[in-house]
Amino acid sequence: MAQKHLDVDTLWKIERLGAPHLSPDGAQAVCTLSRYDMDENKGRVSLWLLSTLGGQPRQLTHCGDKDGQPRFSPRGDLIGFVAKREQEGHKDEEPQFYVIPPDGGEARRVGEVATGVTAFKWFPDGKRIALVSWVWPTLRGAAAQAKALKEYKARKVTGYATSEATYRYWDHFIPEGRVPHLLVMDVATGRTVDLFEGTGLELTRMDPDANAFDISPDGRAIAFAHDPAPVKQVDGRQAIAEVDVRTRKVSELVRDAAWDLSAPAYSPEGDRLAFLASHQGRKHTMPRQLAVLTREDGPARRWARDWEVVSAQWDHELNAPLRWEEDGLAVLFTAEDKGRTPVWRFDLADRRAEVLVPGGTVGGFDKQAGTLVTLADTAGHPGRIHAHLPGEAPQRLERFNDALLAPLALGQHEEVWFTGALGDKVQMWVFYPPGFDRKKKYPILHTIHGGPHTGPGDLWHHRWNWKLFAAQGYVVVNVNYHGSSGFGHAFLDSITPRWGELELQDVEAATDWLLAQPWADKRRVFATGGSYGGFMVAWMNGHVPAGRYAAYVCHAGCFDWTAMFADDAYAWHAKELGAWYWDDPARVAAQSPHAFAGAMATPTLVIHGALDYRVPDQQGLAYYNTLKARGVEARLLWFPDENHWILKPRNSRLWHEEFFGWLAAHDPGPRPARRRPAA
């Protein structure tokens, strides 16, 4: 029987797992499972229980649409989660905190926080949680917050007025007049206390989550990251402070104007605090490293004034969260390494990092009672959850997508290395069509990644899925060009402030490598990219002679660095480009695709979303209008309800139809067999 090929409808049938969280005894893991419906054009998220001892997964929640962030209580008798639900005729206006027993039953709303619950953590006694909520900082008490929210929602105007430097982020405006505070909720009564009330303190305004704070093992204090600067900006440098839960007294633990500090995590004995530290005073591209603060000896056991970056000699950037081993001798985390993201164990005594669970790409992990669970994907399969016990082979805990994927021919993929800019070795991932025959000729499709400081490789992408692209008949390639993460700081930092230069040399060297292969059709080479990858294809249109590439696709691409000042990350522009546009307009223009529009001649599909605040849609519209004004063939796909990413199933189907339709229309040779999704 002929195998099927991956298409967009099948891609959206894949069930997406969230990061697992373990019960205290390590016997069960709870996670989210997202399922999407193309006909309804939406998704639903429920909670599932997985056994690390064997047995079938069990669905825990059924009534919610977006149940998220599940965490076992310290005694394992409850699972807390965040959701917007309807309970006893009352529908949540803001996300609230719910609990449900792991052996089943009805979920129960715990109290009600008028301004909503963004994230939470359990206290060690299981009787309270610490939570994040966006509050009006000048008001006191829950009643005042509820009244203010009711009045705000009832107002008859839609204008947004602000004097803040950072007022919108990614795809949403930061709540007008509100800031994120830490609250403590009593689980028995639902009563809350705002630990930051009247202090002027707040957590980061850039999507604060549970990694922004940690609760001490004795439950008496909470360590948190905050920006002490009076003006909050997206590139602000955070400090680490600690608040006494009973007295609400705040102590500054680590503060250095040159460093950005985040993700605090107490050791099991509470005598040390690990956190991430990036030396922004040295360079804005400096990696997040592992730092540790220790309590001094003596009866007071105060925190020491000095702290240490313990991973300073290890050229990797760490990701939150940080997870202490139970013996306090090491810290676990994920970090990229040459296109893969393993779980690492960093031994504090000998300052040595070792891979605990190799990549693919580990997207989440937890460890309890000697059991480690991971959520990981590869370029060959979507996320899977495994349990890892000492001396045993990894144990798969679910089979959610196996039946769906079994009939599919996904094709082969490999990583190759070639010599790129500066004589450096550059990594490229190559995805071959199902049934690839080296004796035949194939079109080449570049998918240039964004960032620029990211490094995709051995992972399953739900939007730019290289296996799906290859199933259309292309040899698909993804170059980890200079500037990409996971290859050391020098490689990452090499492109600033000369954007476009080294990256283009790498992409062109990759194309040369590809065209030297006997199966490559030099007439049928295409380049596509999103975000910074979109910048790259716009840059290529002005720098690569017409005819080298048959067509481009620019998704959410940066086109004009001066006009890009409307984005949510404008504070980084001078750091990356080397100057503010008003101080050195020539230098900025020299790195801006719009300045080279006179040479653009290659047909381009431009795609953009109106809710994209990272690369405002004006960028895509300006690029499209420029091509039209120059008489260059172009097509525009614009979404009024999407952000930097295309997240709705029906819009994704349209995105793929336009994407592949554009490539097919500009293919000068035998066209790949298009597999259009069923209507």
Side-chain angles (χ1 to χ4, degrees):
M1 184 177 72
Q3 286 188 301
K4 299 178 181 179
H5 290 185
L6 181 61
D7 59 21
V8 65
D9 277 7
T10 305
L11 185 68
W12 279 94
K13 290 178 182 177
I14 291 173
E15 298 172 339
R16 307 181 190 184
L17 286 156
H21 187 261
L22 279 165
S23 59
D25 61 3
Q28 295 184 94
V30 61
C31 66
T32 59
L33 185 71
S34 300
R35 288 171 166 160
Y36 292 87
D37 189 296
M38 185 67 75
D39 292 332
E40 292 186 6
N41 199 33
K42 65 179 183 180
R44 300 181 188 277
V45 187
S46 57
L47 306 186
W48 284 71
L49 278 177
L50 311 176
S51 173
T52 63
L53 305 177
Q56 294 300 311
R58 177 166 60 88
Q59 187 170 352
L60 187 62
T61 62
H62 297 79
C63 300
D65 284 343
K66 302 290 182 184
D67 298 341
Q69 304 181 50
R71 298 180 71 91
F72 273 95
S73 66
R75 291 180 294 180
D77 58 331
L78 292 172
I79 292 171
F81 62 98
V82 177
K84 287 178 69 174
R85 289 174 153 232
E86 184 172 353
Q87 182 174 284
E88 297 178 351
H90 176 60
K91 191 173 183 179
D92 297 327
E93 292 192 17
E94 302 289 336
Q96 300 297 331
F97 177 65
Y98 284 79
V99 294
I100 187 171
D103 56 358
E106 293 294 328
R108 173 176 62 89
R109 182 194 298 121
V110 179
E112 186 171 10
V113 182
T115 48
V117 177
T118 299
F120 79 97
K121 279 184 178 176
W122 289 96
F123 272 75
D125 60 9
K127 297 178 179 179
R128 298 166 294 169
I129 63 165
L131 63 92
V132 180
S133 187
W134 286 81
V135 306
W136 279 270
T138 58
L139 301 182
R140 292 181 177 269
Q145 296 291 338
K147 182 175 182 290
L149 183 66
K150 182 178 180 180
E151 292 174 348
Y152 185 83
K153 289 192 172 183
R155 59 184 198 144
K156 303 299 183 183
V157 298
T158 58
Y160 180 101
T162 185
S163 298
E164 298 289 347
T166 300
Y167 52 92
R168 64 180 189 172
Y169 184 73
W170 193 252
D171 63 355
H172 60 275
F173 276 72
I174 291 175
E176 191 173 4
R178 295 159 66 185
V179 299
H181 275 196
L182 266 180
L183 282 66
V184 172
M185 173 185 281
D186 183 272
V187 175
T189 66
R191 295 193 185 99
T192 59
V193 174
D194 186 342
L195 297 180
F196 289 177
E197 188 176 84
T199 66
L201 289 166
E202 61 183 77
L203 300 177
T204 176
R205 298 181 186 180
M206 274 51 79
D207 289 347
D209 59 18
N211 294 322
F213 65 96
D214 196 33
I215 304 170
S216 64
D218 60 11
R220 295 179 179 178
I222 300 178
F224 60 92
H226 74 103
D227 185 353
V231 177
K232 313 302 182 188
Q233 295 196 155
V234 69
D235 66 337
R237 297 173 187 175
Q238 297 187 102
I240 303 292
E242 186 179 58
V243 57
D244 185 292
V245 175
R246 183 179 64 84
T247 66
R248 300 192 218 174
K249 180 182 178 181
V250 176
S251 304
E252 200 81 77
L253 300 186
V254 184
R255 180 173 175 177
D256 189 317
W259 290 81
D260 181 39
L261 313 172
S262 60
Y266 287 98
S267 66
E269 298 298 323
D271 58 340
R272 286 164 293 167
L273 188 71
F275 53 94
L276 299 178
S278 172
H279 198 336
Q280 294 289 291
R282 179 176 298 171
K283 198 74 183 287
H284 74 284
T285 56
M286 290 298 292
R288 295 181 300 269
Q289 299 172 305
L290 179 62
V292 175
L293 177 69
T294 305
R295 289 190 189 275
E296 296 175 332
D297 293 330
R301 298 290 285 152
R302 295 186 178 90
W303 290 106
R305 296 183 63 183
D306 296 327
W307 52 284
E308 185 180 9
V309 178
V310 296
S311 68
Q313 303 306 313
W314 192 57
D315 194 8
H316 290 70
E317 179 165 56
L318 282 61
N319 302 316
L322 303 175
R323 176 85 189 181
W324 285 84
E325 288 276 39
E326 293 178 355
D327 58 12
L329 299 179
V331 177
L332 310 183
F333 49 80
T334 64
E336 284 183 82
D337 186 55
K338 299 179 178 64
R340 297 177 175 86
T341 304
V343 177
W344 301 82
R345 181 185 187 275
F346 191 90
D347 188 282
L348 296 173
D350 62 13
R351 309 293 173 89
R352 179 174 55 86
E354 62 177 344
V355 172
L356 202 58
V357 178
T361 298
V362 177
F365 73 96
D366 192 22
K367 189 173 185 182
Q368 292 283 354
T371 297
L372 174 69
V373 289
T374 58
L375 168 66
D377 57 23
T378 72
H381 65 74
R384 297 172 177 172
I385 292 180
H386 286 82
H388 309 263
L389 282 76
E392 298 184 17
Q395 174 191 352
R396 179 93 177 274
L397 302 186
E398 48 68 38
R399 301 280 173 182
F400 284 116
N401 294 301
D402 288 13
L404 177 69
L405 297 176
L408 299 180
L410 293 177
Q412 301 298 312
H413 67 274
E414 65 177 337
E415 62 172 307
V416 300
W417 293 78
F418 61 89
T419 301
L422 306 177
D424 294 334
K425 291 297 182 182
V426 175
Q427 183 192 60
M428 176 170 65
W429 293 84
V430 184
F431 299 82
Y432 300 100
F436 178 75
D437 184 347
R438 291 183 176 274
K439 296 179 181 179
K440 296 181 179 179
K441 293 287 187 179
Y442 292 89
I444 305 299
L445 178 62
H446 276 282
T447 56
I448 305 175
H449 73 71
H453 304 308
T454 58
D458 196 7
L459 60 84
W460 183 272
H461 206 301
H462 284 283
R463 296 182 308 279
W464 289 70
N465 189 277
W466 305 301
K467 293 289 186 178
L468 188 155
F469 291 179
Q472 297 288 325
Y474 300 94
V475 173
V476 180
V477 297
N478 192 347
V479 179
N480 274 323
Y481 51 75
H482 278 78
S484 300
S485 55
F487 302 89
H489 178 256
F491 190 86
L492 179 144
D493 187 57
S494 63
I495 67 172
T496 57
R498 48 175 174 175
W499 277 7
E501 178 185 337
L502 302 183
E503 307 93 295
L504 179 56
Q505 292 180 40
D506 290 341
V507 171
E508 287 292 84
T511 300
D512 289 341
W513 184 95
L514 291 160
L515 294 181
Q517 308 308 310
W519 39 259
D521 190 335
K522 68 176 60 177
R523 303 170 305 150
R524 306 163 66 198
V525 184
F526 304 88
T528 69
S531 192
Y532 194 85
F535 157 81
M536 279 301 302
V537 294
W539 182 260
M540 292 163 69
N541 209 348
H543 288 79
V544 178
R548 170 80 157 177
Y549 298 92
Y552 295 127
V553 178
C554 175
H555 172 99
C558 312
F559 176 66
D560 179 348
W561 287 123
T562 299
M564 263 288 287
F565 222 70
D567 69 6
D568 66 347
Y570 65 88
W572 273 308
H573 283 216
K575 298 176 183 179
E576 290 284 1
L577 299 170
W580 299 113
Y581 73 84
W582 55 85
D583 286 334
D584 195 343
R587 185 173 194 176
V588 172
Q591 301 171 74
S592 187
H594 87 283
F596 303 90
M600 294 179 177
T602 301
T604 300
L605 169 64
V606 178
I607 307 174
H608 229 110
L611 301 182
D612 187 351
Y613 301 155
R614 182 54 47 94
V615 181
D617 68 337
Q618 171 272 341
Q619 294 288 299
L621 299 178
Y623 185 28
Y624 175 74
N625 291 351
T626 297
L627 295 174
K628 282 295 186 180
R630 283 190 40 75
V632 179
E633 186 181 358
R635 184 171 175 83
L636 174 68
L637 176 59
W638 179 83
F639 295 95
D641 56 347
E642 299 283 7
N643 59 26
H644 203 53
W645 303 330
I646 307 304
L647 301 177
K648 295 179 174 62
R650 290 289 185 95
N651 283 345
S652 174
R653 177 191 276 176
L654 175 61
W655 187 97
H656 283 83
E657 288 176 345
E658 289 286 341
F659 186 99
F660 292 121
W662 180 259
L663 298 180
H666 294 85
D667 192 329
R671 297 180 180 179
R674 290 189 66 207
R675 295 173 177 83
R676 300 176 63 89

